[in-house]
Amino acid sequence: MNPKLNCIMLIDDDEPTNFLSSMIIEEAGCAEVIQVADSGEKAIDYFLNSQKFNYANPKYPWPDLIFLDINMPAMNGWEFLGQYKKLKKQGNHIIIIMLTTSLNPDDKNKANNTGAVTDFRHKPLTKELLDEVLDKYFAVSLKLQHNDNAHF
């Protein structure tokens, strides 16, 4: 059995993008749960529900990895990050990848200076990009998890 992340969350208002990204993650078999929020507001509601259930409800698993779009109506990626910082679970670091179509270098600089965004990448999510992210940010934890499972 391959080790998996507990949860990967997609925060993007574009339904076709979420569908394709979900398919890539599912085919990679790298996550127990794929959670999709089609707005920053829905993602914040998800986190509030996760906290309300004391992070123990399987319906609201705390994500290990978030792919976050910038340009969304109502609450964009930047506004989401502002709210997320207020909700952040102590002792649990989520890898946030800003996944966007923006080619504006100011967006990349802003993402790097937020203190919450781990990486800045361009859409679409591909298997190669997903593999890079998993190798770069989760290789050790997935390997440890795999070794722990080997004892059973």
Side-chain angles (χ1 to χ4, degrees), residues 28-70:
C30 61
E32 294 291 338
V33 175
I34 302 167
Q35 185 63 45
V36 178
D38 62 9
S39 72
E41 290 172 324
K42 287 182 181 174
I44 292 299
D45 287 344
Y46 178 91
F47 282 101
L48 289 171
N49 280 319
S50 182
Q51 289 180 338
K52 181 172 75 177
F53 289 110
N54 201 24
Y55 314 105
N57 187 326
K59 186 176 176 183
Y60 299 101
W62 198 258
D64 300 300
L65 173 62
I66 295 173
F67 288 103
L68 174 65
D69 188 25
I70 293 176

Side-chain angles (χ1 to χ4, degrees), residues 8-22 25 34-44 47 66-77 80 96-102 121-125:
I8 295 177
M9 178 178 262
L10 306 171
I11 305 174
D12 195 318
D13 65 312
D14 187 63
E15 189 176 336
T17 297
N18 287 330
F19 177 77
L20 291 172
S21 296
S22 294
I25 294 166
I34 302 167
Q35 185 63 45
V36 178
D38 62 9
S39 72
E41 290 172 324
K42 287 182 181 174
I44 292 299
F47 282 101
I66 295 173
F67 288 103
L68 174 65
D69 188 25
I70 293 176
N71 298 309
M72 296 179 284
M75 180 186 286
N76 66 30
F80 164 81
I96 299 178
I97 308 295
M98 188 140 299
L99 189 63
T100 180
T101 56
S102 174
R121 299 296 186 103
H122 294 103
K123 288 183 185 177
L125 180 65

Side-chain angles (χ1 to χ4, degrees), residues 65-70 78 81 93-100 107-122 129 132-134 136-137:
L65 173 62
I66 295 173
F67 288 103
L68 174 65
D69 188 25
I70 293 176
W78 306 120
L81 289 170
H93 180 68
I94 298 175
I95 300 297
I96 299 178
I97 308 295
M98 188 140 299
L99 189 63
T100 180
D107 284 335
K108 185 172 184 175
N109 290 334
K110 186 174 181 178
N112 290 336
N113 292 320
T114 65
V117 175
T118 308
D119 206 340
F120 189 93
R121 299 296 186 103
H122 294 103
L129 175 56
E132 283 178 39
V133 168
L134 294 173
K136 185 172 183 178
Y137 301 108

Side-chain angles (χ1 to χ4, degrees), residues 77-96:
W78 306 120
E79 294 164 329
F80 164 81
L81 289 170
Q83 294 298 313
Y84 163 78
K85 285 181 183 179
K86 296 175 188 174
L87 299 173
K88 190 174 175 186
K89 182 178 169 185
Q90 293 298 324
N92 190 348
H93 180 68
I94 298 175
I95 300 297
I96 299 178

